[in-house]
Amino acid sequence: MNASVAHVWSLRRTIAVAAASLALSGCNRGILDPVGPIAAQEKQILINSTAIMLAIIIPTMIATVAFAWWFRRGNTKATYRPDWEYSGAIEMVVWAIPALTIMLLGGITWISSHDLDPGRPLKSDKPPLNVEVVSLDWKWLFIYPDQGIATVNQLVVPAGTPVSFKLTSATVWNSFFVPQMGTMIYTMPRMTTQLNLQADKTGEFQGLSSHFSGDGFPGMQFKVQSLPADQFAMWAQGAHGQGGALDTASYAELSKPSSYVKPITYGAVAPGLFDAIVNDKVPQLHLPQAAPPAKNNSAVPAGG
Amino acid sequence: MTAGTEAPTLGLTHQASEDTGLGHRGPQSKSIVVPYGFWLFVLSDMVLFSALFASYASLVHATDGGPTTSQLFDRKLVAVETMALLISSFVCGLAMITAKRKNMVWTQVWLVMTGLLGLVFLGIELHEFSTMIAEGAGPQRSAFLSSFFTLVGCHGAHVTAGLLWLGTMMAQIWNKGFQEHIMRRLLCFSVFWHALDIIWVAIFTIVYLIGTLP
Amino acid sequence: MFGRLTWDAIPFHEPIPLITSLVVLLAAGAIGIWVWRKGYAPYLWHEYITSTDHKKIGIMYIVMALVMLVRGWADAIMMRAQQSLAIGASQGYLPPEHYNQIFSAHGTIMIFFVAMPFVIGFMNFVVPLQLGVRDVAFPTLNNVSFWLNASGALLINLSLFIGEFSRAGWLGFPPLSEKAFSPGVGVDYYLVALQISGVGTVLTGVNFVTTILKIRAPGMSYLRMPVFCWTALASNLLVIAAFPVLTVVLAELMLDRYLGFHFFTNDGGGNSMLYMNLIWVWGHPEVYILVLPAFGIYSEVAATFSGKPLFGYRSMVFATLAICLISFMVWLHHFFTMGAGGDINAVFGIASMIIGIPTGVKIYNWLFTMYGGRVRFNVPVYWLIGFMLTFVIGGLTGVLLAIPPVDFVVHNSLFLVAHFHQVIIGGVVFALMAGYTYWFPKAFGFTLDERIGKWIFWCWFIGFHLAFMPLYVLGFWGATRRMQHIPDATWAPWLNVAFVGAAIIGVGIALTVVQLLYSIKTRDQRMDVTGDPWDGRTLEWLTLSPPPHYNFAVLPDVHGEEAYWTRKQTAIKQDQLIDEPDYQPIEMPVNTPTGVIVAFFAALCGFAIIWYIWWLAILGLIGAFAIFVWYAWRDEHEHIIPVEEVRHNARERRRIRMEHLHNLSQSV
């Protein structure tokens, strides 16, 4: 009967080893495979904090099994202390261990929350690329105001250059997330959020929405392409003037509900489109019965 | 029933010196327990209003281009409403006094007055609401107005429920007299009624007074 | 006439809800007919449905929780199956409209109609017994609370075959949950059901705080209460402080949806961030409402089965109250990614970690309770050890999530999903299973079969780890939650392991049913003759199993901590029981149909509101008010149990106790 305790221990050990080896095999993905400074720092904090806590938790887990096993009723070698229920020394230690751990992690939290605040511009000698992001039902619109172009479900960035995002949503909340680049941020209608990221490596990365937004949500995947700076410039210039223009009419068309949308590139963008979207000044057709937003500017009655 | 090696004895054996604090005498009587529980319920209601106040504070400036606080509120009317409610609370207190003395006629008189003054309060409030709605400043106009109507309206709904309760209490007292459990309920009602007063003070301060500051 | 209710509401064209509804209706009908034919209906009406006895009400809560657990698990296995199938080109078998209802129902049911009733059920059954008193402060209100909760559960289940359920998640964030983006009845079902059951829960909070603070056996000062009662107190204080906020925020969403208000809408100045704040101001204390009594259960189990008192009692009390207080100061950690800035994020992150300190202290105190003990490996101890190994990892991942920059990359991912299931299953569910085994004999007079009990444990322990460990990995790989379709085929093996894990948990749940039926059938082999099958330390073990309606013939006199243990040891040492006390007749509250009738009208009103049948809603409200007035008019509140009956029962108990005095522990 008490062999089951030993089973608990050996089973847990087996699971831990298997999990570790499986996990390590995936260390080249997602947030564990950062391509830029933000994601790299976040990964480091994740690993450091986990290690600090495991240093406390693993001995605790071992002690749990060890104490239960040693002090099992059948073990005559263990000393039975039926009235022992308090020890000041032990109390001090058991309060101190979590407290000190939390103090350490708290310090890490304070510093890193400020250093890695999404709105904080990245230190760089290069000027940032500005990208305006709009989450629609159910795709992502990326506007490059300085390049005068826009894309859907495809984000192209120059490697080694900070990207400064301004984000909003046309309909409901979403969350802009490129795991390998780091920090995600909510997109909310009538509001803007800010995000600063950078891809140091070139390549193609996966992007998604990480806040459920309705029936088309799983189709909100997008690709991020990080190109060497000169190739990015070539791409931006090449796109300019090609394909359709993103103006009020084509935006309204785009806003119709659709999912799993293949990448689109717009060679021209109506100026101020992003701000107009934030202020709800652009008609949208995201709902079948959508009416233009009603503005009630009736004369205000005097207090009475 | 003692610990240790003393001979067991009957009944309650606690000496005053053994008092280790609250609860040593066993379960409290109903006349303590019922009002205590009701106070806890009133506390939960206060939390409810706190959440409504928090919503109001967040949304008070979200007027969407529509009417604002200073354009809408009439301090004079609010003053009359407030007096009605305050006096009704006072009169409710008088009803508690006469009820303790088991004076049926005066208790019913003061309770009727409590109810009438409550109705005056509600009447003025409904008038205010309907005027605002007629002027296009209804709760659907803006987030600010939604939160105003909800906060003040929730208080009004509590007053309404209180009046229904009051009517029931008056009937019960008339029918059954001043029995212990009826008195307990009357006490709970008066606690409720006074609590609504306290919330109203917060409302007219935060909503009406601060909202109409120059 | 019937608002927006039409025949289209019945899912004739959707096989899964249709077949499920038919099966449920047939099963419910069959059980109903069986109960009727066997003549159990009057028994059920008098002994349970109209009962004001905290023990019966507790049992009803737990029965409801276990039934809803089956539905919650069914939702889970459907989600796991979908995620295993819908990879690459395949869209699986659940289109988004259905998948999204299923995950919303899964969360709503598990939190509100499994975990909450299960925890409340235990508090109901155990607290008055442990306090050495006859019932809670407001027994009729207790009955009403249960039935209001049941009304909520009924409405949620009705949504399966009349209409649809919400597709906005278990918390219904706007603007998605607003009328514009969720025009159907689903969100309305969600809102109305939770509002009705929420009223019941607040009343429970008031009831239990009053009971614990004002109604205890003579001599039981605060620091002589069992730790489970302290955790029940903290949990119910949180209920009183948090649930009204839920009432407000859901009401505001209802006003938006029903009357066109603009609290959280995209237009009119609405602010959806306000919802996020208010809902989590409730939502975080909610999880502590669940976990604190769970910790209390572990404290009882650890002490009893180690054969020594709980280590560091005062520390545990302090830690409980600290958790209670701090749980109100951490809510923003649920939306670090909303962009509040470094200062605010850091403050809430640190506050969230600080809660880990008293929690860690509790783990160590349980550890040292076992140290120096004689640990008996009954089923509850399996759950205790399983919890101590599982929960600490959940705590680790929780502290990780409390670091904003880490949260920035794992928020809303499967890592998060794994974390909260780890703490809820490892923390709350394991405790509920331990408590179920521990207190079952007190409720029914015989213990559950131990062998099957251990199988159930292993199914949950292994099943849980298989179901959720892969999710941590997937979270690191960028997998977010609530995905009806999986974009990356390399995730498949991990999701398949998770599916197997969920299936094994299902076996565990099935075995729970098997264990119950088998234990009933073979109960003669495991009768709890003395009422103290585990060599217990708290007052509930003083009574026979099951206790009489009034619990104790005479309220026990309490002189120290562990009142029952001291009394038992004294009796064993002196080889005699305490002197026979002077018996008195006992007044107990009468049964009442008020609860079930009020709940009926509440459900009727709720259903009417959901479907816009305004005349019916008003009728429901009038009905509820009328029954309240009818109840208030009754003159008989109590009935008297004659002294002969009290004396007879008490003498029977004393006789049995004397006979088995030196053999009070019947455990293996």
Side-chain angles (χ1 to χ4, degrees), chain C residues 300-383:
Chain C
E300 302 297 341
V301 166
T304 301
F305 290 95
S306 300
K308 50 191 281 281
L310 182 68
F311 184 87
Y313 172 87
R314 289 185 185 212
S315 214
M316 293 297 250
V317 170
F318 180 74
T320 302
L321 295 174
I323 294 173
C324 179
L325 189 64
I326 302 174
S327 71
F328 260 104
M329 305 180 186
V330 302
W331 79 91
L332 194 130
H333 70 228
H334 297 276
F335 45 94
F336 281 137
T337 56
M338 203 161 83
D343 283 340
I344 294 180
N345 278 354
V347 164
F348 276 93
I350 293 172
S352 307
M353 292 178 192
I354 290 179
I355 256 197
I357 302 176
T359 314
V361 166
K362 282 184 176 257
I363 296 275
Y364 289 119
N365 280 0
W366 289 313
L367 201 55
F368 285 105
T369 304
M370 290 195 291
Y371 188 95
R374 278 201 190 133
V375 181
R376 290 172 271 136
F377 279 88
N378 294 87
V379 167
V381 172
Y382 277 67
W383 292 107

Side-chain angles (χ1 to χ4, degrees), chain C residues 75-90:
Chain C
D75 287 329
I77 199 78
M78 289 180 73
M79 288 155 59
R80 279 281 127 256
Q82 170 68 12
Q83 290 203 332
S84 282
L85 292 170
I87 304 194
S90 168

Side-chain angles (χ1 to χ4, degrees), chain A residues 294-304, chain B residues 64-67 71-74 135-136 141:
Chain A
K295 281 284 151 216
N296 185 352
N297 287 315
S298 58
V300 171
Chain B
D64 190 35
Q71 292 158 344
L72 286 171
F73 300 147
D74 176 6
E135 288 169 349
R141 174 60 188 86

